[in-house]
């Protein structure tokens, strides 16, 4: 495969295997306990209802701003505390969100070969970029926890931008910032719509990794190359051959 000026990675389902569940009681109890320690007291049903209401309000603010809008949960967690008379510093808001995320996560790990792949591409002289549909409150701590926070030349997270893949505007963010020709960039992801078709819309080549977190349906995606299974060492050989 030809060398590209930039390799643009999706995160969850591409480099990272994760399972979260916000429908169980644990994350809401963890959030309620922390909020109470800050002076904001909630019953669990009230907390969940308030969270969903505040998320809906954020979504309404973004209505029409993008084909694929993405809210930022930081104001949601801040409002959960402030509605109970607690006006927290950002560090407290981040801690509330992180406790919620940890309690909702049953496993979080890198796929085998992920670090080696990122390191090898970083040494190739090309940019290594991250373009993730995610919440920065959750993802930035997870990048540090997994030891890959310094593996990327640039990190773009959808909650910071107000839009998500496959919106062309989200793909254009790193391209414009680094003055990159999309024809010289390769998107690597596990979602045929968000990653593959989104990349194609801005003129980028793509690798479709069909992982355990790929959508249940498997349409024919217009990827430059498709790999079944999460063999990142195989992918590394393909990219560097």
């Amino acid at each position: 495969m030809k060398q590209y000026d930039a390799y643009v990675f999706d995160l969850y389902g591409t480099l990272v295997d994760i399972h979260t569940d916000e429908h169980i009681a644990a994350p809401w109890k963890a959030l309620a306990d922390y909020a109470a320690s800050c002076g904001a007291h909630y019953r669990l049903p009230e907390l969940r209802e308030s969270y969903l209401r505040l998320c809906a309000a954020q979504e309404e603010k973004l209505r029409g701003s993008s084909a694929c809008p993405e809210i930022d949960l930081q104001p949601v967690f801040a409002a959960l505390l402030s509605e109970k008379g607690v006006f927290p510093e950002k560090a407290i808001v981040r801690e509330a969100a992180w406790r919620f995320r940890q309690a909702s996560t049953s496993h979080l790990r890198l796929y085998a070969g992920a670090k080696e792949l990122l390191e090898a591409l970083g040494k190739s002289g090309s940019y290594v970029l991250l373009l993730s549909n995610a919440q920065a409150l959750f993802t930035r701590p997870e990048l540090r926890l997994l030891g890959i926070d310094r593996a990327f030349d640039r990190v773009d997270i959808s909650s910071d931008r107000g839009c998500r893949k496959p919106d062309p505007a989200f793909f254009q963010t790193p391209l414009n910032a680094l003055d990159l020709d999309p024809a010289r960039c390769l998107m690597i992801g596990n979602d045929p719509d968000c990653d593959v078709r989104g990349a194609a819309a801005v003129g980028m080549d793509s690798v479709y990794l069909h992982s355990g977190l790929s959508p249940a349906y498997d349409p024919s995606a217009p990827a430059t190359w498709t790999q079944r299974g999460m063999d990142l060492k195989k992918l590394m050989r393909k990219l560097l051959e």
Side-chain angles (χ1 to χ4, degrees):
M1 184 174 285
K2 72 179 185 181
Q3 183 173 357
Y4 291 85
D5 294 336
Y7 296 91
V8 186
F9 283 89
D10 172 56
L11 185 62
Y12 301 110
T14 299
L15 296 168
V16 173
D17 185 18
I18 188 172
H19 183 266
T20 64
D21 189 349
E22 296 179 1
H23 297 289
I24 60 176
W28 302 103
K29 185 178 186 307
L31 179 56
D33 288 347
Y34 184 70
S37 75
C38 298
H41 298 277
Y42 278 98
R43 292 175 293 105
L44 293 192
E46 178 194 9
L47 177 61
R48 189 171 186 277
E49 289 170 7
S50 296
Y51 176 89
L52 295 175
R53 170 177 53 79
L54 291 165
C55 285
Q58 290 295 315
E59 290 168 357
E60 183 62 30
K61 287 181 181 179
L62 288 180
R63 186 183 298 276
S65 64
S66 163
C68 306
E70 180 77 280
I71 68 169
D72 181 3
L73 286 180
Q74 182 159 315
V76 171
F77 285 102
L80 284 172
L81 297 170
S82 64
E83 285 189 349
K84 292 293 185 176
V86 177
F87 300 93
E89 297 177 354
K90 287 183 178 180
I92 292 176
V93 175
R94 289 194 294 268
E95 181 64 20
W98 183 233
R99 294 196 183 201
F100 177 81
R101 177 67 163 188
Q102 284 183 304
S104 73
T105 303
S106 57
H107 72 255
L108 172 74
R109 52 182 173 253
L110 290 172
Y111 286 114
K115 276 189 178 180
E116 293 83 354
L117 172 60
L118 294 173
E119 289 172 0
L121 292 176
K123 292 176 181 177
S124 72
S126 301
Y127 286 112
V128 180
L129 310 177
L130 182 66
L131 193 71
S132 179
N133 285 355
Q135 287 294 320
L137 281 173
F138 303 155
T139 297
R140 293 192 184 278
E142 287 172 351
L143 291 174
R144 291 192 293 271
L145 186 64
L146 293 165
I148 58 170
D149 52 311
R150 298 184 180 181
F152 304 99
D153 296 295
R154 181 183 171 91
V155 172
D156 285 285
I157 300 173
S158 57
S159 68
D160 288 336
R161 306 302 172 192
C163 61
R164 56 184 168 82
K165 297 176 290 185
D167 190 331
F170 191 34
F171 282 88
Q172 286 294 155
T173 300
L175 300 180
N176 293 342
L178 298 172
D179 194 25
L180 291 166
D181 178 357
R184 296 286 307 161
C185 299
L186 181 71
M187 179 73 211
I188 302 164
N190 75 305
D191 190 299
D193 290 323
C194 292
D195 299 318
V196 176
R197 290 189 174 85
V202 297
M204 291 172 59
D205 287 348
S206 63
V207 171
Y208 172 42
L209 290 177
H210 185 84
S211 75
L213 295 182
S214 293
Y217 66 94
D218 189 17
S220 177
T224 308
W225 185 52
T226 296
Q227 178 177 301
R228 304 287 169 179
M230 288 306 299
D231 186 344
L232 294 182
K233 291 183 179 179
K234 177 181 177 181
L235 175 61
M236 181 168 63
R237 292 193 297 270
K238 180 71 175 178
L239 295 179
L240 297 176
E241 69 181 10

